[in-house]
Amino acid sequence: MKTLDSKSVLSEGKLNRCVVLPVNVPIVADSLKRKNQNWFARASSVNDLIIQVGDSTFHLHKLAMVSRSEYLNRLVFQRRSNNEEHSRIDTIQIDNLPGGRKTFELVVKFCYGWKFDVTPSNISSLYCAANFLEMSEDIETENLISKTESFFSFLILTSWKDTFRILKSCESLSPWAKELQLVKRCSEAIAWKACAVPKLETRTDAWWFEDVSLLRIDHFIDVIQSIKKRGMRSEIIGSCIEFWTLKWFSKVTLRLDPNAKHEHVTIQLIQLHKVTTECLIKMLPTEENSVSCNFLLYVLKAGMVLKINHELMCVLERRVILMLEQCCVQDLLVKNYGDKDSLYDVDVVVKVLQSYVCGMSSNSAAKVRTVGKLVDGYLSQVARDRKLKVESFKLLVEALPQNARECDDNLYSAIDMYLKAHPYLTEEDRENVCSVLEYHRLSQEARKHVMKNDRLPMKLSTQFVLLEQVNMSWTMASNGFHYQRKTQTNIRISKDIEKRQMSQEIKVMRKDVEMMKSQLVNLNTCKMKLQKQMKICTS
């Protein structure tokens, strides 16, 4: 056998192919004609071998086929060694030949020396069939296994697009394509080329995402595993998984109900989506920030619908919980696709928040308040949706405890938005929605707004008015008590001042009395002296 033309067109726009023309064949067929499901190889000798492949029957020659295939050789001559009834024509049934009738037709052409094309679309089936039929070098040089092996290796090393064409053709060749390492070799070739480019700066720069997203889930997993082994950054791998998921998960995936009867969706399709979702979760990189919170919620939503493994659901929930403190409102917005559904899926967020509350005691007050602000922002976003049911909104409102918020002003604002977007709610529904609002948890400005808000239920408005009056009365009574205490204090202070002034005056008067007493003593002394002098003078 020799290859007449084996070209590689490196341009991805053209298809690589190998034109094969075998030589040195024992029998050369003049023609290979088809009549209905029967194929006839016309040669100088009569047909003595019938091979049935599926519904097709090939009328061939033993010498041409047995000289190239150890498998056929063994079947033909084993019958004779077992002393089976010998007939001029042997019949062999092959039910599980890789590639089926089309591939066997190429094998027949190869054995009879006919020229045929080997392309990226048929190389894998031809390679598997050659191995199935044991067409190795041990029985004949330049046999089909070695020829297909050479062209296969050439394709995966030189052509990016052809590698994907080969992988696509392997989908119908399980388990042969796996056992013969075709899928693994293609995956490793893709990983090598994807990692050969310079390190990507952003998640959206990966030029290979689109091609990889065309792969079936099992082949996609093989490619991702090969890329991981080559050290690709975890955030790039996470983005690739996200790209594949969003492309392959149709809108109907997130609307499936395994308990309901579907006209267009079979049980097998539901099971396929379920297994695919579980595989994706197991495949996600574990590094921090390797996947977005929004994508994790998207997968969690699919898991809730498809009722996937409980442990995998818990893994997803924990990952989302650990990211909540760094999230923004947009990260929590997971769209619904049903005509009667709300715009965003609130239930999946409620489920995460309920799990978060269970382990909230280990978080600091500041972290809990951060999540509280996030939820209030999310409430304000979804409250405007007219299709959002009261039950779902109420669950979201009650998801966090009071200590997650410093005050309930933002919560009240979101509730007011919901009432404004749903003006036809019954009084009972409005009371249910507003049941979390408490007077002492609102600021004075918010209380004033409540008492003027005609959208609120009458019971709540009345309660707030009465509490406001009680509060005002208590404030006035408190102010009066303080005024009385202040007056008594002022009087007491005045008396103290008067006492101090009188004490000072008494002291001054005492000093004056002492001075007067001293002066009287002096006068008496002078008087005595004068009297003595008068006596002396008169005597």
Side-chain angles (χ1 to χ4, degrees):
M1 172 205 286
K2 71 175 182 179
T3 301
L4 292 183
D5 182 18
S6 180
K7 301 179 181 178
S8 171
V9 183
L10 296 180
S11 170
E12 298 292 5
K14 297 182 180 179
L15 185 67
N16 290 327
R17 68 180 188 140
C18 177
V19 182
V20 177
L21 179 59
V23 294
N24 300 325
V25 293
I27 295 179
V28 177
D30 298 327
S31 64
L32 184 63
K33 293 185 178 180
R34 177 181 180 182
K35 185 177 181 181
N36 297 324
Q37 297 297 320
N38 294 283
W39 295 81
F40 298 90
R42 302 298 185 188
S44 57
S45 59
V46 297
N47 303 114
D48 58 358
L49 178 64
I50 296 176
I51 298 179
Q52 294 179 340
V53 180
D55 297 331
S56 300
T57 303
F58 291 82
H59 300 264
L60 308 170
H61 300 82
K62 295 177 186 176
L63 183 59
M65 302 304 297
V66 168
S67 64
R68 293 287 180 177
S69 170
E70 180 68 28
Y71 174 80
L72 295 177
N73 186 311
R74 187 167 58 254
L75 289 180
V76 170
F77 290 100
Q78 189 176 23
R79 293 162 63 97
R80 294 182 180 179
S81 64
N82 292 338
N83 296 321
E84 294 184 14
E85 182 180 353
H86 179 67
S87 62
R88 187 181 67 82
I89 299 178
D90 289 318
T91 301
I92 296 174
Q93 178 75 34
I94 304 177
D95 295 321
N96 54 347
L97 180 74
R101 189 265 305 167
K102 289 184 178 180
T103 301
F104 190 71
E105 181 183 348
L106 297 180
V107 172
V108 171
K109 289 182 177 180
F110 176 82
C111 292
Y112 278 97
W114 279 57
K115 181 173 68 174
F116 65 96
D117 288 345
V118 182
T119 68
S121 298
N122 65 22
I123 180 63
S124 56
S125 61
L126 194 59
Y127 182 82
C128 292
N131 279 272
F132 179 91
L133 296 171
E134 302 175 26
M135 302 175 73
S136 66
E137 301 293 301
D138 295 337
I139 191 171
E140 183 66 45
T141 59
E142 296 187 356
N143 213 341
L144 190 56
I145 290 179
S146 61
K147 289 301 178 183
T148 51
E149 166 65 30
S150 298
F151 189 54
F152 175 81
S153 300
F154 170 78
L155 287 175
I156 64 175
L157 289 174
T158 60
S159 176
W160 171 265
K161 290 292 185 182
D162 285 343
T163 305
F164 283 94
R165 293 187 181 103
I166 293 173
L167 264 182
K168 192 68 178 175
S169 67
C170 287
E171 292 180 359
S172 60
L173 297 173
S174 299
W176 280 93
K178 284 275 189 181
E179 294 176 356
L180 295 174
Q181 304 292 308
L182 296 184
V183 174
K184 181 180 179 181
R185 291 168 65 185
C186 287
S187 300
E188 290 175 347
I190 292 171
W192 172 69
K193 292 172 185 177
C195 297
V197 296
K199 293 293 183 179
L200 302 172
E201 296 300 327
T202 63
R203 295 182 173 186
T204 57
D205 288 342
W207 54 273
W208 44 275
F209 280 9
E210 183 65 35
D211 291 322
V212 173
S213 69
L214 300 175
L215 299 176
R216 199 173 66 182
I217 180 63
D218 53 341
H219 295 166
F220 178 68
I221 291 174
D222 290 331
V223 170
I224 291 298
Q225 289 175 343
S226 297
I227 290 176
K228 284 182 178 180
K229 291 178 181 178
R230 287 193 167 269
M232 178 69 76
R233 284 163 44 195
S234 60
E235 62 268 25
I236 301 299
I237 295 175
S239 295
C240 180
I241 295 174
E242 181 174 348
F243 190 93
W244 185 94
T245 304
L246 296 178
K247 184 166 185 175
W248 275 82
F249 270 32
S250 62
K251 294 179 180 180
V252 72
T253 304
L254 300 183
R255 295 164 55 191
L256 295 177
D257 181 4
N259 297 322
K261 294 182 179 180
H262 302 282
E263 296 179 1
H264 307 292
V265 182
T266 63
I267 299 299
Q268 290 80 5
L269 180 59
I270 296 175
Q271 186 64 24
L272 174 62
H273 284 311
K274 179 178 179 179
V275 173
T276 300
T277 304
E278 292 177 344
C279 290
L280 286 171
I281 298 172
K282 295 175 183 177
M283 187 171 47
L284 289 174
T286 57
E287 290 80 0
E288 186 177 359
N289 297 323
S290 56
V291 287
S292 67
C293 178
N294 186 261
F295 174 65
L296 292 176
L297 286 171
Y298 181 89
V299 179
L300 183 60
K301 171 183 173 65
M304 291 169 61
V305 173
L306 297 168
K307 298 183 178 180
I308 65 172
N309 181 273
H310 177 71
E311 292 182 2
L312 293 177
M313 289 287 287
C314 293
V315 169
L316 279 180
E317 289 178 18
R318 284 195 295 269
R319 293 195 66 168
V320 175
I321 287 171
L322 292 174
M323 300 175 71
L324 280 179
E325 295 159 18
Q326 291 81 37
C327 287
C328 63
V329 173
Q330 295 299 320
D331 293 327
L332 303 183
L333 299 178
V334 180
K335 283 191 175 182
N336 281 321
Y337 295 100
D339 296 334
K340 297 181 180 180
D341 294 333
S342 57
L343 180 60
Y344 299 109
D345 191 327
V346 172
D347 295 337
V348 66
V349 176
V350 170
K351 182 174 180 62
V352 170
L353 292 176
Q354 289 173 344
S355 299
Y356 172 79
V357 171
C358 292
M360 196 175 68
S361 58
S362 60
N363 295 331
S364 65
K367 292 182 178 180
V368 174
R369 296 279 172 82
T370 300
V371 175
K373 290 180 181 179
L374 173 67
V375 174
D376 285 346
Y378 179 73
L379 276 166
S380 298
Q381 181 70 35
V382 300
R384 302 181 181 91
D385 185 1
R386 294 189 175 183
K387 292 183 179 180
L388 181 59
K389 296 180 180 178
V390 173
E391 296 79 8
S392 297
F393 185 75
K394 190 171 185 292
L395 284 174
L396 184 61
V397 166
E398 297 175 345
L400 293 180
Q402 285 188 350
N403 63 343
R405 300 177 177 90
E406 293 183 6
C407 73
D408 290 348
D409 283 13
N410 292 332
L411 179 61
Y412 165 67
S413 178
I415 291 175
D416 187 40
M417 289 181 186
Y418 184 79
L419 296 177
K420 187 175 182 180
H422 302 78
Y424 302 110
L425 291 179
T426 64
E427 186 73 8
E428 182 181 358
D429 287 339
R430 286 188 292 166
E431 287 180 2
N432 286 332
V433 171
C434 298
S435 61
V436 297
L437 295 177
E438 295 184 11
Y439 179 85
H440 68 280
R441 297 278 301 169
L442 297 178
S443 65
Q444 186 61 35
E445 183 178 355
R447 294 172 188 171
K448 291 180 180 179
H449 190 275
V450 167
M451 291 183 287
K452 297 178 182 179
N453 193 346
D454 57 359
R455 288 185 289 272
L456 297 177
M458 182 64 66
K459 181 179 179 180
L460 182 70
S461 300
T462 304
Q463 180 183 358
F464 268 59
V465 170
L466 292 174
L467 288 173
E468 183 67 18
Q469 291 177 352
V470 170
N471 187 43
M472 290 178 62
S473 300
W474 182 87
T475 302
M476 292 176 64
S478 178
N479 290 339
F481 175 73
H482 287 306
Y483 175 77
Q484 183 178 4
R485 290 189 60 185
K486 184 176 179 181
T487 303
Q488 292 175 350
T489 302
N490 290 339
I491 293 172
R492 188 165 54 250
I493 292 173
S494 299
K495 290 181 177 180
D496 290 341
I497 293 174
E498 290 178 358
K499 287 180 179 180
R500 284 197 297 270
Q501 289 177 349
M502 290 176 65
S503 177
Q504 291 175 357
E505 291 177 357
I506 291 171
K507 288 181 179 179
V508 172
M509 291 175 66
R510 285 178 178 175
K511 288 181 180 180
D512 292 341
V513 169
E514 292 296 328
M515 287 179 63
M516 291 177 67
K517 285 181 177 180
S518 176
Q519 290 176 356
L520 286 173
V521 169
N522 291 336
L523 287 174
N524 287 328
T525 303
C526 290
K527 179 180 178 182
M528 293 296 292
K529 288 179 179 181
L530 289 174
Q531 287 178 349
K532 288 180 179 180
Q533 289 178 1
M534 286 294 294
K535 285 180 179 182
I536 294 171
C537 291
T538 55
S539 61

